[in-house]
Amino acid sequence: MAEFVHLHLHTEFSLLDGACRIDELLDQAAVLKMPAIGVTEHGNMFSSVIFHDHARARGLKPILGCEVYVAPGSRLTKSGNPGETANHLILLAETNEGYSNLIKLVSAGYTEGFYYKPRIDKELLAQHSKGLIGMSSCLKGEVAEGLSHLQERKAIEAAAAYRDILGPNNFFLEMQWHGIEEQRVVNAGLPGLARDLKLPLVCTNDVHYLRETDAHPHDVLLCIGTGKAFTDTKRLRYDSRNFFLKTPEQMADAFKDFPDALSNTMRIAERCNVTIAEGENFLPNFDVPAGFTLDGYFEHVVRAGFADRLEKLRHLASVGALRHTVDEYETRLAYEIAMIKKMKYPGYFLITWDFIRYAREKGIPVGPGRGSAAGSLVAYCMRITDVDPLDFDLIFERFLNPERVSLPDIDIDFCERRRGEVIEYVTKKYGRENVAQIITFGTMKAKAVVRDVGRVLEMPFADVDKVAKQIPAALDMTLDKALEENPILRDMEKNDPKVKELLSVAKRLEGMTRHASVHAAGVVIAPSAITNYAPLYKGARDEIVTQWSMKEIERVGLLKMDFLGLSTLTLIADAIEEIKRTKGETLDIDAIPFDDPKTYQLFQEGQTYGVFQFESSGMREILRKSKPQRLEDLIALNALYRPGPLRSGMVDDYIARKQGKTDVKYDLPELEPVLAETYGVIAYQEQVMRISNVVAGFTLGEADILRKAMGKKNAEVMQKQRAKFVDGAKKRDVNEKKAAALFDLMEHFAGYGFNKSHSTTYAYLAYQTAYLKANYPWHFAAALFTIESQNTEKLAMYLGEARERGIPVLPPDINQSQIRFTVEEKGVRFGLTAIKNVGEGAIESLLKVRAKQGRITSLHALCDELDLRLFNKRVFESLAKAGALDSLATGVAGHARETRPRIVAAVDAACEYGARQQRDREQGQGGLFGDSEQTGTNGDGAAAATLPNAPAWTEQEQLAFEKETLGLYWSGHPVDRYRSELKEFGAKAIAELGETPMNPEPADAWIISATC
Ligand SMILES: [Zn+2]
Ligand SMILES: [Zn+2]
């Protein structure tokens, strides 16, 4: 067999340039029996971990490298034409030390040298050269560029410089042959250079795609990347179809005159030995107070937290409302503490506890928990979570399984507005270099790739649109699936050669990585600089981001946390603040009763607009049918309301059982305590775990492994688990047939079962919002409107619902309104932030004037002191059209559609007046003519006098202007006069509609509302 290893190769992670899918590529490499294979993306190491693991899984040796960009001078010099600011160079990691160096180099490319491309320079390379092997790269390499431009000196100097930096045995002169004329020139020069400088040769194929036939899709991909049309003669293109994964024989044939260059690929592959270790964890250090060990301090904090919680528990026990004894809590706590210490996670818990405590101290709202962490009593005692795991039978092993040790995963919800403050705290505490956000990659989805390819191929938009519209809208849709499901699309492909080509190219590119961006929640904290563990990337807004996504960050043992922004928490905080401001009442949302009849009535009637997780119309229908009466019912509905259980009929079954229409029977008496809360339906993964525990004697750790296996549906593993289950059940005198049937049932439900811990915390949060809505409807409405004030459609829907519920909403008014929506004696006052085209800075300036003047009586008085740089004519007009300036025309006779245009007509003069006054004051002439004094004390009569005459708006115009500025018709609706007739025809108010998996086609008549 020919001796050759590919050492220069780009996958799809050379974004929009490489077109190799990693798994497909490695499969092919394995088929060709290649002993090793290298990866060298353009300027990044996005794919290193995936490539390493997937290659090893196939018995291939991965060679990790990068095709770096090298600045001609200093990486810090950022000028020049984009084409001349960097040369290519291949760097391969020979040792783990070299791999670490490569990470540092590639990171610096983004954080220090970025200019069109992430660039390093020779100085930096010299600092991090150990353990690296270099190759001179393609025609864009410095050596090749010198040779092809007939500047031999430049070529010699470049090669000598790299030899000196990397060492004589570590720099190779790279030959490529794709049939390109320039390469002929370079390849003719390289052997002489090699002789003179005593440098070895090596050959590569600069692989960019898998098969020769992929040259065309790859070319289209380049066009997508550069935004050019395929026929554009000046665009970037590859002059050859040879950049594919050639076989060793094909390479041997191309380089038969250079046997050394071929065999050197094998030598390099043998020399490169990098392994990304598995099972290591790099937790950041948590400093504990003097006199404490880490474990000791952890236990101290947990015990102190438990003492706090104990007060409430003792009280509940005294009134008979505690399901478990205090002793049971003690036992569970001791068990969890011991287990967490054994797994060496006290530091992890303390880190999490610390920043959550910080958030609470600063009044930043924190959620009650999400995901499986709510299963831990330790987390509850540390206030990492806020629901009692024993009370809801949440299982610790679902979170941390001693029999399958993996880094715990604690995700935290923070108030959307203030999430950044917590990230800032963590960054300061653990060191700026040790904290980063996490990258995420966008891929080309079925519809989008068709549109992209269509544009490049210059097909008429309408034609491409027709094809794209035939692709069903589903999350996991692929072109193959679409063709299988949709005969119209199949016909289009068969009958139209253009469509056939479009689809064939699109299929080849579908699913490939298109761009990198910053993950919305992920934060990674390392014990020292991140670049000691993972390469860094720079986001569009200069965020420092890891080059590896969540999965790989976890894989290499770094601690990642999800800091999510949740607007519901902002809503709750705002409502509580408004309750305090208007009623002087301090509401402790974590101490509200969980048996409030008003709150359950709201759920039972499906009046759940704005209630977290429960507001879709399908959910509201289920609420009305199932009539929840306790938190457990909400937890179950929250878990069941997902496509799987809905489609399978589980939800209907649950409702029928709850209503008593179906008998609830248990095949085994042991099942009753586990399933009674869901009326015999297996709704949670935790129930599967409990059943295997009580029926077959599994430990909860084993039960968690079973739970996971059921989710993955691996036939072989399931066979073993089944035998173990039946065996265990037999030992407990359960008849074999019954046990087997039960196992099958669990397996069936496991696909639908949901994490109860997560469902519980989110149902708890839902209850809190519903409690506010039921007991403080105006305050809840004000907070909800504020949260949605920039989302016109939703705001209109919520305003409509509020009106239907009899909550008066008062119009915007510069003499009454605040930035946000507020509660007044007579109703909820419109917030100024919801008016279109009016910025927050403008509103703040206006409120300052109001604070000073008490009441703004005229445009002149307002302009006298307003920051007019923030207030152009458009802002005034928007305010007037929204009705927010109506109070400046108090005392002026006439309807709003007569006075509003007069206010608009007065704006220019008032602004001029204000500018003049402010200028005079600045120049020390303020008050010379007494103008400002006079205006300031003007009564309503005088205000009227300053309003010029202007033609009145029609009613239609007034409504249109309201819609333009408020997003909705305020003082009426164009179709109001048909309202009653339409209702008779079965029209629904807009608040009755919404996305739902159950009723995709909602309306059978007109959709009307006074607010839409
Ligand atoms: Zn290159
Ligand atoms: Zn390349």
Side-chain angles (χ1 to χ4, degrees), residues 8-10 14 17 40-42 67 88 90 137-138 174 176 205-208 238 243:
H8 184 156
L9 180 148
H10 302 272
S14 286
D17 186 0
T40 54
E41 311 292 6
H42 279 302
E67 180 165 20
H88 296 189
I90 294 286
S137 193
C138 59
E174 184 172 346
Q176 298 186 349
N205 201 46
D206 203 354
V207 179
H208 277 71
Y238 285 32
F243 293 83

Side-chain angles (χ1 to χ4, degrees), residues 723-784:
K724 188 175 164 189
F725 183 88
V726 174
D727 232 38
K730 258 204 303 209
K731 279 188 202 132
R732 302 191 156 212
D733 293 332
V734 176
N735 136 352
E736 188 171 337
K737 230 170 123 192
K738 261 192 179 172
L742 180 58
F743 189 87
D744 292 343
L745 190 71
M746 290 198 316
E747 200 180 350
H748 172 71
F749 280 114
Y752 305 129
F754 197 63
N755 178 344
K756 190 185 180 190
S757 288
H758 183 73
S759 193
T760 303
T761 52
Y762 269 30
Y764 176 88
L765 198 54
Y767 183 89
Q768 289 181 329
T769 53
Y771 180 87
L772 285 170
K773 182 170 182 177
N775 292 282
Y776 302 91
W778 290 18
H779 299 84
F780 175 83
L784 181 64

Side-chain angles (χ1 to χ4, degrees), residues 216-217 220 230 449-450 453-454 456-459 467 479 492-509:
H216 178 55
V220 172
F230 194 75
V449 76
V450 163
V453 172
V456 169
L457 298 180
E458 293 172 285
M459 280 174 73
V467 179
L479 289 173
M492 290 167 95
E493 188 192 34
K494 205 165 77 194
N495 300 329
D496 187 340
K498 278 248 155 215
V499 174
K500 196 178 157 83
E501 195 203 342
L502 171 70
L503 288 176
S504 107
V505 174
K507 268 193 245 176
R508 227 22 224 143
L509 300 179

Side-chain angles (χ1 to χ4, degrees), residues 52 56 62 64 95-96 99 273-278 280 555:
H52 172 274
R56 291 235 183 264
L64 304 179
T95 58
N96 280 6
Y99 178 66
N273 290 296
V274 173
T275 309
I276 303 178
E278 239 166 309
E280 281 182 72
R555 151 71 181 83

